[in-house]
Amino acid sequence: MASYSQATIISISVILIMGIWSSSSSAAGREPFACDPKDKTTANFAFCKVSLPTKERVKDLIGRLTLQEKVRLLVNNAAAVPRLGIKGYEWWSEALHGVSNVGPGTKFGGPFPGATSFPQVITTAASFNSSLWEAIGRVVSDEARAMYNGGVAGLTYWSPNVNILRDPRWGRGQETPGEDPVVVGKYAASYVKGLQGNDGDRLKVAACCKHFTAYDLDNWNGVDRFHFNAKVSKQDIVDTFDVPFRMCVKEGRVASVMCSYNQVNGVPTCADPNLLKNTVRAQWGLDGYIVSDCDSVGVFYDTQHYTSTPEEAAADAIKAGLDLDCGPFLAVHSENAVKKGLLSEADVSNALTNTLNVQMRLGMFDGEPSAHPYGKLGPNNVCTPAHQELAHEAAIQGIVLLKNQGPSLPLSTRRHHSVAVIGPNSDVNVTMIGNYAGVACGYTTPLEGIEKYTKAIHQQGCSDVACTGDKSFNAAIDAARQADATVLIMGLDQSIEAEFKDRAGLLLPGLQQELVTKVAAASKGPIILVIMSGGPIDVSFAKNDRRIGAILWVGYPGQAGGAAIADILFGKSNPGGKLPMTWYPEEYLANLPMTTMDMRSTPSKNYPGRTYRFYNGPVVYPFGYGLSYTKFQHTIASAPAVFSVPVHGHRKAQNVTVFDKAIRVTHTRCNKLSLRVHVDVKNVGSRDGSHTLLVFSSPPGGRGNWAPHKQLVAFQKVRVVTGSTQRVRFNIHVCKYLSVVDRSGIRRIPMGEHSLHIGNLRHSFSLQAATLGVIKS
């Protein structure tokens, strides 16, 4: 959905590809995981014969395993099978935005002291650039393979997080690509393609989309994720929560899906055959394995008391479709479950079929690792200049300009000989990489980035983001009085928003707002507020304060975040990011428990609804908002006024196919049903710049409570030189993007007048049904 015309990423990609083949680094002598060519006892095993189909190899291996050996392979720290020449394996590694050491499968040190740490996902999502997302995935998988070859990492990475940012307080919202299900799904498919490679059925590394499903609460108001039962309507499941996972499996062809801790409508997700076996595997066609979030099986037995015995818990999980347990539970209790007749050995074998299939596709049973296409990657392929430049470029593309009065930005090295750099996030490094990060190659803090352009007068003002005291305020105020401009770098960090920690509110913590206001009153030059955070913040005070000339949101911008911030501040780069989530006022939370999952509003109960699709009240900044240093004009070059949707008739009842003037997507020919829209984008400003075109659609009125106000149907990022025009061509899939989901969870295409929204442009078009023939019930 987003192809980006950008020389930077193309040139970086060329460097990366050349680097793979020109590197002299090697696999550092990693021994084969299995099928060692020097081991004559395994040489004739069918599972070691690369020439055979993977299915036959897996079947042969499973046939050689005892039940005791099988159950010890059902967990993340899978045991060795010495008699078959198979080593132990740690399945748990993480690569959310760079190779991470959060899981036990990855260790930094020695020849691998660090890895490229890209911006946190919420920041990269703000680029709305799917080619960038895939390019980051390629770099991360290069470094992951290199570290695997060096014996310090695995090949199975439990990333990305593709949950919806349903509630702005969620501590893990920073890990997600935001609130729109289509953007999240496109991010998932793009990043997964970058991670897993494009070598047919073979995998470079195996990605995992998590946490399935309706998981977006960690610890709020006495309710934690281990005890939470998410009560979700069928409508919201199909319309919102399923969308990113479905796209990840069907478009990204991800190798794994992780089920979550919570229950959904009274059933633990890791014990729900409707979710795992019927939806993920049967309907969507997952070619891979399903893994539990860590200790989830133990949680639904010990904490949720879903089953009476641990053997029942093990049986329920495996029969529901779970293949791998992050934790010891299945290894401890599955054998007894078989002995008690709760589970068959065939059930255990079916689970192993899926995990072993992935290991085979990764080449782990192909013998000598150095013979693998990526077997030559090593330390020289980690933290390369090209990789680090891509991290810098990603940070630039993710920064969002929210306010620019005057304009106050960009700053000038000719006029601004000194800049006061103030705030608890003004000289941070680890804060910039967010959570689920590893050890970065190196850092450029905001202060260091600014100092490369001009003299900086540095005062923190607050010792940390909690900002509980004002004893350092006067020094900060004095710095602002002296300097030609003031940059306040405020916001959050992992002490405020994190896994296990949801926020109580949306305001800046502690006395941060007071510090900003007092410094702004004293500064003799322009005042720039920089917000570093994952979740949205109510900065209404700064938006409405005329003394504060500009506001930037930089997310958690990664290892090169300080350089990117400075490049934007001083105009070397032109901001082009857009908000991937709505920024709400604090009052939005007044009647909004995190535990209420409903996406749609309920006016009779003063329930406001969630995300831009269903909330229609006041906002601080809307989803998709972001300014530039230049100006762009849009013109619709071509778009249909009427579009025909072919419909099959139906023998049983006409309203099965057409209900409330909306056609079931299953009753039309969806494959090539796309609306073609061409938009011209002209740069009428004085600077070259990148522009994100967001195309929204509003369905016909009268849909009651089962249609969104509007929904994103397409997006694309283009670079437009000043004075020039670029034509952007969209093919909007009618069934995927112009459909809505009714109260029964049925996806339908509304007939009648739809409206496209592209910036300030509006284009109306009519969808009309064209009957083809009769289909059987």
Side-chain angles (χ1 to χ4, degrees), residues 98-318:
V99 179
S100 167
N101 57 355
V102 170
T106 303
K107 307 291 181 187
F108 289 107
F112 299 97
T116 308
S117 193
F118 288 90
Q120 181 59 288
V121 175
I122 194 73
T123 317
T124 309
S127 71
F128 283 86
N129 182 356
S130 62
S131 59
L132 172 67
W133 301 337
E134 187 170 343
I136 292 171
R138 287 195 298 270
V139 166
V140 174
S141 57
D142 279 355
E143 299 195 350
R145 264 287 176 178
M147 293 180 69
Y148 172 78
N149 294 339
V152 294
L155 289 176
T156 46
Y157 289 84
W158 294 347
S159 303
N161 179 339
V162 298
N163 294 116
I164 297 294
L165 180 49
R166 175 185 63 94
D167 192 290
R169 293 162 290 191
W170 187 30
R172 300 187 74 176
Q174 60 184 291
E175 302 172 32
T176 77
E179 71 182 42
D180 182 85
V182 170
V183 174
V184 177
K186 187 62 180 178
Y187 177 91
S190 301
Y191 187 60
V192 165
K193 287 176 183 177
L195 286 175
Q196 295 189 165
N198 56 4
D199 188 14
D201 197 46
R202 293 178 68 88
L203 295 168
K204 188 178 179 186
V205 303
C208 174
C209 281
K210 63 184 185 184
H211 313 77
F212 189 68
T213 186
Y215 167 63
D216 46 24
L217 177 151
D218 267 66
N219 192 349
W220 176 82
N221 204 29
V223 180
D224 66 42
R225 60 187 182 175
F226 305 120
H227 297 84
F228 182 48
N229 175 26
K231 297 177 182 178
V232 192
S233 69
K234 181 66 174 175
Q235 184 179 39
D236 284 340
I237 284 281
V238 174
D239 186 40
T240 297
F241 298 107
D242 273 1
V243 172
F245 289 94
R246 186 177 187 274
M247 292 175 69
C248 186
V249 173
K250 293 183 73 69
E251 297 178 22
R253 300 185 69 241
V254 74
S256 176
V257 169
M258 177 184 286
C259 51
S260 54
Y261 289 113
N262 56 290
Q263 296 183 354
V264 173
N265 299 326
V267 183
T269 64
C270 293
D272 191 339
N274 183 55
L275 290 178
L276 307 187
K277 188 175 287 184
N278 297 342
T279 301
V280 176
R281 195 167 295 284
Q283 291 182 28
W284 299 344
L286 174 70
D287 183 14
Y289 68 97
I290 298 175
V291 60
S292 73
D293 205 340
C294 293
D295 295 318
S296 285
V297 183
V299 164
F300 78 67
Y301 169 65
D302 291 318
T303 304
Q304 298 174 4
H305 308 296
Y306 184 70
T307 63
S308 301
T309 68
E311 291 81 10
E312 289 173 335
D316 281 3
I318 292 174

Side-chain angles (χ1 to χ4, degrees), residues 473-484:
F473 280 20
N474 287 338
I477 291 167
D478 287 343
R481 286 182 178 137
Q482 297 172 39
D484 297 323

